[in-house]
Amino acid sequence: MAASYVALLTLCLFLPPLLLVAWKHWRRGRAARHVTVVVLGDVGRSPRMQYHALSLAKSGFSVTLLGFCNSKPHDELLQSDRIQIVRLTDLQRLAVGPHILQYGVKVVFQAVHLLWKLMCTKPAAYVFLQNPPGLPAIAVCWFAGCLCGSKLVVDWHNYGYSIMGLVHGPSHPLVLLAKWYEKLCGRLSHLNLCVTNAMQDDLAENWGIKAVTVYDKPASFFKETPLDLQHQLFMKLSHTYPVFRARSESSDPDTERSAFTERDALSGAVTRLCGRPALLVSSTSWTEDEDFSILLAALEKFEHLIDSGESLPSLVCVITGKGPLKDYYSRLICQKCFRHIQVCTPWLEAEDYPLLLGSADLGVCLHRSSSGLDLPMKVVDMFGCCLPVCAVKFQCSCSWVRVSWMCLFLSPLFLEKMGRRAYTSL
């Protein structure tokens, strides 16, 4: 009788692991040419992960892309028959209770929801994960990989705890907990990618993580925009945003005119308007790591230069993007009494954004890296469009110089240079 109990106990102990191993081998066989890409954020605002998915699809893999679907991804990704987008539910924080309780509930929900989605999707040989945000995604993806036989690849864009530190301060308990979690769970991955050599060195020296640097490159659709496409874009945007509308009517009522271009009614030829305003473009996620008061101060300086008799054009400043601080800066913009400057804060479709960059005279990037180790992809996109860029200087920003000479780093003389740069860019 005792032998029977021992045999039963042994079976209960060893059968589940054996079944799990058999299940993992079965799933691994089905997953050989499939990859899951995970973004615990908006897919449409995660271009690097979209490019990963497209590259994997072009290499013959089938791809499942998990993420929030708050904005439209690129058409090329939507049209690929090898890529399936699986929507994750974006739970907003509770409106009641302490902030730490609200955050805790959100993290628990995301962990359970993400694990469920990973277990229900097609078996994958690899799980590509964007970090940040990595809480709770790194641990969840690693656990799902243990169950399903997938290997975890973490793409380090920055450190999540350093971004939290901008809001709560570097010594806040939540920030310290996030740093401990990120450092611990980051070592569980099978392969790591990062965006700069400086981050590669920091991961190796301070985190014990070996990573491969994969620099961002602009997609093929980031290029100079032909004049006729510029005109089509300006006319399209003029229906919604007045800054793109013509300042005066043409003498020919059949001529189609925007603030920057006009199309001849007879020949159909598009030309730039004489005396058109300069077009300055910046994109942002409206978060604490971008201080747009710098740009507003520069615009005030530009206005002062014109008022003091400088021969400078009027200026249209377009700031694209969504984010938590957009309303705050929109109120600041409304308080300004510009006479020669118009500011517009649209959210553009994925196909219109590269066209706008390729039509602009100057790009501005106010990204201040929370860790000092990452590079914003927006500058790379601007370079792809041959657009001169004014950017905040920080630890890794000189890496851009290896890629392009078209970058003016912000210095104490930035306000003066900014005003004149918009003019010389024409």
Side-chain angles (χ1 to χ4, degrees):
M1 190 70 176
S4 300
Y5 282 118
V6 171
L8 182 61
L9 180 61
T10 302
L11 183 63
C12 291
L13 287 175
F14 288 99
L15 183 60
L18 289 173
L19 291 174
L20 178 59
V21 168
W23 186 55
K24 286 174 64 175
H25 280 288
W26 175 75
R27 284 181 65 97
R28 189 179 292 126
R30 299 178 59 206
R33 301 295 293 175
H34 183 71
V35 177
T36 298
V37 178
V38 179
V39 181
L40 204 60
D42 186 4
V43 171
R45 294 163 63 190
S46 304
R48 183 175 167 100
M49 303 310 286
Q50 292 185 58
Y51 299 160
H52 282 328
L54 286 169
S55 296
L56 288 165
K58 291 176 181 178
S59 299
F61 289 88
S62 61
V63 180
T64 298
L65 179 53
L66 273 69
F68 305 145
C69 298
N70 300 329
S71 54
K72 181 185 174 186
H74 290 292
D75 277 343
E76 188 178 358
L77 188 130
L78 296 174
Q79 294 167 2
S80 174
D81 57 359
R82 288 183 171 272
I83 300 175
Q84 177 190 13
I85 299 178
V86 176
R87 179 190 296 267
L88 295 177
T89 301
D90 186 8
L91 178 69
Q92 302 300 319
R93 288 201 309 183
L94 299 175
V96 295
H99 287 297
I100 191 168
L101 175 63
Q102 297 176 21
Y103 187 72
V105 170
K106 183 175 182 178
V107 167
V108 171
F109 171 81
Q110 288 180 334
V112 174
H113 182 58
L114 177 59
L115 180 60
W116 174 255
K117 289 290 186 179
L118 287 169
M119 299 304 294
C120 292
T121 57
K122 182 180 177 181
Y126 296 93
V127 175
F128 271 69
L129 172 65
Q130 172 183 296
N131 181 64
L135 181 64
I138 300 178
V140 172
C141 290
W142 169 80
F143 181 68
C146 291
L147 294 178
C148 304
S150 305
K151 292 184 178 180
L152 175 60
V153 181
V154 177
D155 191 7
W156 297 83
H157 297 193
N158 200 351
Y159 295 143
Y161 81 88
S162 68
I163 297 175
M164 292 178 65
L166 294 176
V167 180
H168 303 292
S171 59
H172 192 280
L174 271 180
V175 177
L176 297 177
L177 177 63
K179 182 177 182 179
W180 171 83
Y181 162 86
E182 205 166 8
K183 190 172 184 178
L184 175 67
C185 294
R187 297 170 180 168
L188 300 175
S189 57
H190 296 84
L191 178 65
N192 294 274
L193 309 177
C194 61
V195 294
T196 64
N197 285 334
M199 178 170 283
Q200 180 189 47
D201 294 340
D202 190 76
L203 284 168
E205 294 173 10
N206 300 318
W207 295 54
I209 295 174
K210 293 182 179 180
V212 178
T213 302
V214 180
Y215 278 108
D216 288 322
K217 293 183 179 180
S220 58
F221 42 76
F222 283 99
K223 56 188 177 183
E224 289 186 271
T225 305
L227 196 55
D228 58 336
L229 288 181
Q230 290 186 31
H231 180 73
Q232 293 178 29
L233 175 68
F234 295 147
M235 294 305 299
K236 174 183 175 180
L237 295 177
S238 69
H239 296 305
T240 308
Y241 306 106
V243 300
F244 293 97
R245 296 172 188 167
R247 273 49 169 178
S248 59
E249 294 296 330
S250 171
S251 57
D252 183 353
D254 293 328
T255 297
E256 190 178 59
R257 177 178 287 184
S258 71
F260 306 91
T261 56
E262 68 176 4
R263 185 189 296 277
D264 184 78
L266 295 177
S267 66
V270 177
T271 57
R272 291 186 174 90
L273 288 176
C274 182
R276 71 180 181 88
L279 178 58
L280 182 151
V281 175
S282 183
S283 64
T284 177
S285 54
W286 298 107
T287 51
E288 289 78 4
D289 58 358
E290 292 180 284
D291 183 5
F292 269 84
S293 63
I294 298 174
L295 178 58
L296 295 181
L299 295 178
E300 289 181 328
K301 180 65 176 179
F302 186 85
E303 180 91 358
H304 176 71
L305 288 173
I306 297 179
D307 289 338
S308 62
E310 291 278 355
S311 180
L312 296 172
S314 58
L315 184 66
V316 171
C317 177
V318 180
I319 308 172
T320 72
K322 294 178 180 179
L325 295 180
K326 182 174 182 177
D327 290 341
Y328 167 76
Y329 281 110
S330 295
R331 289 192 295 269
L332 290 183
I333 292 170
C334 291
Q335 293 171 8
K336 305 296 180 182
C337 298
F338 294 130
R339 294 186 298 114
H340 307 287
I341 299 171
Q342 293 178 288
V343 182
C344 179
T345 57
W347 171 251
L348 299 177
E349 295 179 7
E351 289 70 39
D352 289 340
Y353 176 62
L355 294 178
L356 182 65
L357 290 187
S359 306
D361 300 301
L362 179 67
V364 172
C365 174
L366 298 175
H367 175 81
R368 293 179 183 270
S369 173
S370 59
S371 64
L373 301 172
D374 70 307
L375 292 176
M377 195 166 184
K378 68 189 78 176
V379 173
V380 180
D381 294 336
M382 291 175 181
F383 286 164
C385 295
C386 301
L387 181 63
V389 180
C390 288
V392 173
K393 186 175 183 179
F394 56 91
Q395 180 178 342
C396 288
S397 56
C398 291
S399 299
W400 287 325
V401 177
R402 305 189 193 114
V403 182
S404 176
W405 54 269
M406 301 183 299
C407 200
L408 173 67
F409 295 120
L410 309 193
S411 67
L413 296 176
F414 165 65
L415 299 184
E416 186 76 23
K417 291 180 179 179
M418 174 77 187
R420 297 185 182 278
R421 185 70 177 191
Y423 174 67
T424 56
S425 295
L426 291 173

